[in-house]
Amino acid sequence: LKRGAEMLFETARFWCDLGAYIDGKGFCINEVTGPDEYSALVNNNAFTNLMARDHLEYAASVFEEMRHHDEAMLTPLVDRLGLDPSEVEGWREAAAAMYLPYDKERGLYAQDDQFFDRAVWDFENTPRDHYPLLLHYHPLNIYRHQVLKQPDLILAMFLQGNYFTLEEKRKNFAYYDPLTTGDSSLAPCIQSLVASEIGETELA
């Protein structure tokens, strides 16, 4: 109430300012880079959109909780921020309309809008001494391929696990895990946690 709500409201404003409603999709957040450093400046990074949606929902719920139970704290905060209740409704609407790229035919969430349009990296013909890839290949070459430094969508399934069914987690893990190079020390811990959750204990 003393500090967190103010940061939560201001950063909810940030997401609404950064994103936009796009016809045929909903609320989109374009030209961002998610956790995966081998993909840059993409539209609708699934991890980013899921986390932003959660943030917007939580900001709106905190505002409502304060309005009903802590109005003495809320009133001066609203005055200081110039916060109109219509903004809070906008947070809810953006969260509800948040776009997530999804391939219905394959049952796969795309890491971003164009991820499945890229060629898969030629792992078979990449020498082991050429990892980490970024030390041996130009970033623009890496960005044009399906290859991950961080398990971007897998991290989303871990942090926003309630959004995905167990079957969705299994299917998406099976797709994205082989594309993850291990070039980042932050990758295996997340891969291991999700592998354990979906029953891949040996792999975990």
Side-chain angles (χ1 to χ4, degrees), residues 5-197:
E6 180 173 353
M7 290 190 288
L8 191 61
F9 297 164
E10 289 282 56
T11 44
R13 282 174 155 174
F14 166 79
W15 288 122
C16 283
D17 184 60
L18 186 67
Y21 287 93
I22 305 297
D23 288 345
K25 288 186 174 181
F27 192 79
C28 296
I29 303 176
N30 293 336
E31 295 301 318
V32 299
T33 302
D36 173 34
E37 296 156 276
Y38 284 172
S39 303
L41 295 177
V42 298
N43 292 347
N44 294 305
N45 172 258
F47 174 91
T48 302
N49 286 18
L50 280 165
M51 297 299 282
R53 185 187 67 177
D54 191 52
H55 186 137
L56 291 163
E57 289 174 347
Y58 185 55
S61 70
V62 167
F63 180 89
E64 283 303 311
E65 185 176 342
M66 292 181 73
R67 192 165 67 87
H68 288 102
H69 302 291
D70 297 287
E71 197 159 4
M73 297 286 287
L74 181 62
T75 299
L77 177 57
V78 165
D79 291 343
R80 187 164 71 253
L81 298 180
L83 181 63
D84 190 281
S86 64
E87 281 191 75
V88 180
E89 188 57 34
W91 301 343
R92 290 194 192 91
E93 291 171 357
M98 189 69 69
Y99 175 74
L100 292 170
Y102 182 69
D103 184 332
K104 287 184 179 179
E105 290 186 9
R106 292 189 288 176
L108 294 173
Y109 287 89
Q111 180 171 294
D112 58 74
D113 274 355
Q114 287 79 40
F115 190 80
F116 292 146
D117 296 334
R118 302 177 199 130
V120 174
W121 185 266
D122 186 3
F123 293 99
E124 186 177 348
N125 293 309
T126 302
R128 286 309 309 167
D129 62 1
H130 278 43
Y131 292 89
L133 297 180
L134 198 57
L135 301 182
H136 300 275
Y137 302 93
H138 194 280
L140 292 179
N141 191 22
I142 296 172
Y143 296 160
R144 285 194 291 267
H145 292 84
Q146 293 185 45
V147 58
L148 312 179
K149 187 178 183 185
Q150 304 278 4
D152 204 299
L153 203 284
I154 295 174
L155 180 59
M157 293 194 300
F158 175 66
L159 292 176
Q160 297 290 328
N162 291 339
Y163 181 80
F164 302 88
T165 67
L166 182 60
E167 183 55 34
E168 285 177 329
K169 290 178 183 179
R170 286 173 174 154
K171 187 173 288 189
N172 283 273
F173 183 91
Y175 187 84
Y176 284 101
D177 188 60
L179 300 177
T180 307
T181 61
D183 287 352
S184 169
S185 60
L186 300 176
C189 56
I190 297 301
Q191 291 166 283
S192 179
L193 285 164
V194 176
S196 180
E197 183 183 356

